[in-house]
Amino acid sequence: MKKSLFLFLSVICAATVFAQGLKREGGDPKLTEYWSPEPKVVTPGKTSVDAPSDAIVLFNGSNFNNWQTVKGGDIKWKLENGAMVVTGGTGNIRTKEGFGDCQLHVEWRTPAEVKGDGQGRGNSGIFLMGKYELQVLDNYNNKTYVNGQAASIYKQLPPLVNACRPPGEWQTYDVIFTAPRFYEDGTVKSQARITVLHNGILVQRDAVLLGGTQYIGVSNYEKHGDKEPIELQDHGNPTAFRNIWIRPL
Ligand code: MG
């Protein structure tokens, strides 16, 4: 490459990074959205997975004993017919116990009555270690940026396919998560990895996470403990959860 061309490209790159830095200050969430290619739509088979004998049951439909608010108080979500339902405005909830490497099963249901669109339809999320969001969203005939659709690692990785069931139907996530490792000084020894089956269909295949979920700006890692709570998101929509169990690995 000619020296002058190399110099020119370097200047462009530097300017772009600088501009993004500036935007980040102001906060433009669109900078980290991308909309194509769209994952193929696949119709799932009938799936449901009961907890195996060695699992820790985090929610069996009858109580919130294993959960608390982010601040450690009693949660205000509703218990309805064996499910917990997000009560908008009452905040995220998290497990009292912390987890690192794990196999996690979660069932979720977006409202049968469709309201809103894009990110406003049945939005919730599962934050592994309270930091890495596996998106929960009604993406049955509902377009949004692909790295923010259901089964995406939010703002990082779109799912391999769109395996959503229609709104109002129960859906499953089966997750195999490897926690990130850090050196003493806080630098990353190894990144987090995740495999996800959505309604029994592979949607994330040993995917490498770029860092903690960021709504605005790029993700990066911040050192945290070996075990951190699993958090469920209150995004204002009455999305429901049931049959949540985990096997620490
Ligand atoms: Mg969400």
Side-chain angles (χ1 to χ4, degrees), residues 143-162:
K143 200 175 163 86
T144 186
Y145 42 96
V146 298
N147 60 339
Q149 74 178 63
S152 66
I153 303 305
Y154 186 72
K155 287 290 183 85
Q156 296 184 29
L157 304 160
L160 295 171
V161 297
N162 178 345

Side-chain angles (χ1 to χ4, degrees), residues 4 16 51 63 68 88 99 122 126 134 138 149 166 173 194 203 208 212-213:
S4 57
T16 306
N63 62 67
Q68 60 189 2
F99 302 96
I126 300 160
L134 170 59
D138 172 8
Q149 74 178 63
Y173 277 160
I194 194 164
V203 286
V208 177
T213 298

Side-chain angles (χ1 to χ4, degrees), residues 119 123-127 133-137 148 154 233 235:
Q119 292 286 313
N123 195 333
S124 183
I126 300 160
F127 287 80
E133 185 183 10
L134 170 59
Q135 176 70 306
V136 169
L137 193 69
Y154 186 72
Q233 186 182 40
H235 200 281

Side-chain angles (χ1 to χ4, degrees), residues 12-245:
I12 293 292
C13 281
T16 306
V17 168
F18 181 67
Q20 284 182 346
L22 282 182
K23 278 264 193 173
R24 193 174 173 182
E25 295 298 310
D28 182 357
K30 290 200 178 330
L31 281 173
T32 44
E33 298 175 2
Y34 62 97
W35 291 68
S36 67
E38 285 186 59
K40 188 174 73 170
V41 173
V42 175
T43 304
K46 203 166 162 49
T47 56
S48 177
V49 182
D50 293 334
S53 60
D54 65 347
I56 297 169
V57 176
L58 295 173
F59 180 69
N60 68 2
S62 63
N63 62 67
F64 289 121
N65 290 356
N66 296 318
W67 300 83
Q68 60 189 2
T69 64
V70 171
K71 287 181 181 162
D74 290 339
I75 70 177
K76 302 284 193 298
W77 292 17
K78 288 193 282 270
L79 275 178
E80 275 178 12
N81 305 318
M84 58 163 93
V85 184
V86 177
T87 302
T90 65
N92 292 5
I93 66 169
R94 52 168 56 173
T95 55
K96 291 177 181 171
E97 202 177 331
F99 302 96
D101 295 357
C102 64
Q103 175 185 353
L104 174 69
H105 176 87
V106 177
E107 298 182 18
W108 54 273
R109 183 188 62 197
T110 61
E113 187 189 344
V114 171
K115 283 185 186 168
D117 55 16
Q119 292 286 313
R121 188 183 293 185
N123 195 333
S124 183
I126 300 160
F127 287 80
L128 282 306
M129 306 194 90
K131 292 170 180 64
Y132 311 101
E133 185 183 10
L134 170 59
Q135 176 70 306
V136 169
L137 193 69
D138 172 8
N139 278 115
Y140 191 82
N141 298 325
N142 177 34
K143 200 175 163 86
T144 186
Y145 42 96
V146 298
N147 60 339
Q149 74 178 63
S152 66
I153 303 305
Y154 186 72
K155 287 290 183 85
Q156 296 184 29
L157 304 160
L160 295 171
V161 297
N162 178 345
C164 282
R165 294 186 193 282
E169 291 190 16
W170 283 104
Q171 314 203 40
T172 60
Y173 277 160
D174 287 283
V175 178
I176 296 152
F177 178 74
T178 304
R181 266 63 168 173
F182 298 93
Y183 290 108
E184 278 294 302
D185 67 0
T187 54
V188 179
K189 193 173 181 181
S190 60
Q191 293 161 292
R193 307 181 79 95
I194 194 164
T195 293
V196 181
L197 303 179
H198 181 191
N199 296 323
I201 299 167
L202 185 67
V203 286
Q204 299 287 349
R205 182 185 180 186
D206 197 24
V208 177
L209 276 64
L210 305 174
T213 298
Q214 294 285 350
Y215 176 53
I216 294 168
V218 293
S219 302
N220 59 347
Y221 280 98
E222 283 176 25
K223 189 173 189 279
H224 54 70
D226 295 344
K227 294 181 178 179
E228 299 283 350
I230 289 168
E231 195 166 309
L232 302 179
Q233 186 182 40
D234 168 9
H235 200 281
N237 305 138
T239 297
F241 293 91
R242 71 175 185 190
N243 190 20
I244 305 175
W245 52 261

